[in-house]
């Protein structure tokens, strides 16, 4: 592909549509037009009479969260467009380097993680149809965050959760370890134990849960109960569930499994 950025020829067809000779530039132009149309629709919705009539009846905090999520999704669509249309190898350094510095200055690494976490939350509430695609997008967002700031343990942790959902267990553990290398956090240890359980590395899972039993006794005991259940050691599973329930009331799903172990 030509890198001659100063010679972009433009033709116009009978319908006044702008047509670039460069397919690369045409893709960018068409994408910008789409995003412009989307922005116009958002502004129309906000300016609508119905919206103005109902705004006084809205929960302000809920509205704020909804609005943020709406614009966050729009920003994510814009980011996807950039990833799909503008190949990094085709963008000259004089554009790429200042863009990266601007993102760092705007704390975009934190924004990427926030969007990634929200996508994971949406998947847990069954709001999304294509969980695999969304998990892959979470991984991409975390990679963007890491590219801007490779010292944030949360980026590796969230990426590990998405990889776990994708059943990429070895890769997930590697990301949790990366998170622990930056910060000794119990969440990553619990996540490693859970991955070991899912991967049927039961002894390793029990050992990790034992290592955090002083920090988070309820979570450690409940986790061990699930390991023993998957391991078909139902007596030990029932005992662990009972000890966990003595600390804090178990959720309904855990109680149901506990009943199965005791039957």
């Amino acid at each position: 592909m030509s890198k001659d950025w100063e010679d972009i020829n433009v033709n116009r067809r009978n319908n006044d549509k702008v047509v670039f000779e460069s397919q690369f530039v045409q893709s960018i132009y068409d994408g910008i037009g789409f995003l412009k149309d989307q922005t116009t629709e958002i502004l129309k919705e906000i300016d609508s009479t119905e919206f103005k009539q109902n705004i006084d009846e809205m929960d302000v905090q809920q509205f704020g969260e909804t609005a943020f999520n709406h614009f966050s999704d729009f920003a994510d669509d814009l980011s996807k467009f950039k990833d799909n249309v503008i190949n990094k190898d085709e963008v000259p350094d004089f554009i790429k380097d200042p863009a990266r510095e601007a993102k760092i200055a705007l704390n975009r690494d934190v924004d990427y993680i926030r969007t990634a976490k929200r996508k994971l939350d949406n998947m847990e509430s069954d709001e999304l149809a294509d969980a695999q695609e969304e998990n892959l997008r979470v991984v991409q967002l975390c990679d963007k965050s890491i590219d801007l700031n490779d010292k944030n343990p949360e980026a590796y942790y969230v990426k590990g959760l998405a990889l776990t959902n994708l059943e990429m267990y070895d890769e997930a553990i590697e990301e949790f370890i990366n998170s622990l290398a930056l910060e000794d956090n119990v969440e990553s240890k619990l996540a490693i134990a859970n991955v070991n359980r899912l991967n049927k590395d039961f002894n390793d899972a029990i050992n990790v849960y034992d290592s955090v039993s002083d920090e988070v006794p309820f979570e450690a005991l409940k986790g061990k109960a699930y390991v023993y259940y998957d391991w078909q050691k139902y007596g030990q599973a029932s005992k662990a569930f009972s000890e966990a329930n003595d600390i804090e009331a178990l959720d309904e799903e855990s109680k149901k499994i506990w009943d199965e172990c005791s039957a």
Side-chain angles (χ1 to χ4, degrees):
M1 178 177 292
S2 174
K3 294 288 196 299
D4 189 357
W5 293 79
E6 298 179 357
D7 184 19
I8 301 176
N9 295 318
V10 181
N11 297 319
R12 284 187 179 272
R13 294 177 179 167
N14 293 333
N15 59 4
D16 288 332
K17 178 179 179 181
V18 177
V19 180
F20 291 92
E21 293 185 1
S22 167
Q23 184 60 45
F24 175 61
V25 176
Q26 185 69 50
S27 298
I28 296 176
Y29 179 83
D30 292 343
I32 291 173
F34 168 76
L35 295 171
K36 181 180 178 181
D37 291 341
Q38 292 296 304
T39 304
T40 301
E41 290 301 316
I42 291 173
L43 294 175
K44 283 182 180 178
E45 182 178 340
I46 291 176
D47 196 45
S48 68
T49 302
E50 182 181 357
F51 178 86
K52 291 176 179 177
Q53 289 175 343
N54 294 332
I55 191 168
D56 291 336
E57 303 174 6
M58 292 181 180
D59 182 302
V60 176
Q61 181 177 358
Q62 181 181 1
F63 169 71
E65 292 175 354
T66 301
F68 172 81
N69 291 342
H70 190 56
F71 282 104
S72 180
D73 286 338
F74 176 71
D76 189 42
D77 288 339
L78 178 60
S79 179
K80 286 182 181 179
F81 162 73
K82 188 269 296 178
D83 289 341
N84 293 333
V85 174
I86 305 178
N87 187 298
K88 291 182 179 180
D89 294 334
E90 297 171 349
V91 179
D93 290 338
F94 75 85
I95 293 178
K96 194 161 50 176
D97 293 342
R100 184 176 186 278
E101 292 173 4
K103 289 179 181 179
I104 293 172
L106 293 170
N107 294 322
R108 287 302 307 277
D109 60 312
V110 177
D111 291 337
Y112 287 137
I113 297 173
R114 184 185 298 114
T115 303
K117 290 171 67 177
R118 184 166 59 81
K119 286 183 177 293
L120 286 177
D121 291 341
N122 287 343
M123 280 184 278
E124 289 180 1
S125 60
D126 295 327
E127 292 182 7
L128 297 173
D130 194 341
Q132 181 174 9
E133 180 180 345
E134 289 300 304
N135 277 297
L136 288 171
R137 184 58 183 163
V138 169
V139 171
Q140 291 176 348
L141 289 166
C142 290
D143 282 339
K144 288 174 180 290
S145 178
I146 293 167
D147 181 56
L148 294 173
N149 177 13
D150 61 1
K151 302 301 181 184
N152 190 331
E154 190 173 25
Y156 298 100
Y157 171 72
V158 175
K159 182 179 178 181
L161 294 179
L163 290 169
T164 301
N165 292 339
L166 292 168
E167 299 183 4
M168 300 173 66
Y169 298 134
D170 291 341
E171 294 85 347
I173 287 179
E174 182 178 347
E175 297 304 329
F176 294 135
I177 290 173
N178 287 336
S179 179
L180 285 169
L182 293 169
E183 177 185 80
D184 186 11
N185 62 90
V186 69
E187 290 81 7
S188 291
K189 294 176 183 177
L190 289 171
I192 289 173
N194 182 55
V195 171
N196 284 330
R197 175 181 72 85
L198 293 171
N199 205 29
K200 302 188 184 305
D201 295 326
F202 299 129
N203 280 318
D204 290 340
I206 293 295
N207 289 337
V208 177
Y209 281 126
D210 283 339
S211 73
V212 298
S213 59
D214 292 337
E215 296 177 80
V216 283
F218 173 76
E219 288 80 0
L221 284 166
K222 180 180 173 181
K224 288 174 64 175
Y226 273 92
V227 174
Y228 286 129
Y229 175 78
D230 289 350
W231 206 350
Q232 298 182 2
K233 295 187 176 184
Y234 302 120
Q236 289 171 277
S238 180
K239 182 174 182 294
F241 275 128
S242 177
E243 293 176 356
N245 193 58
D246 288 340
I247 299 173
E248 180 181 326
L250 291 169
D251 57 272
E252 291 303 317
E253 181 180 354
S254 297
K255 288 180 180 179
K256 182 179 179 180
I257 295 175
W258 182 14
D259 290 340
E260 291 181 22
C261 295
S262 303

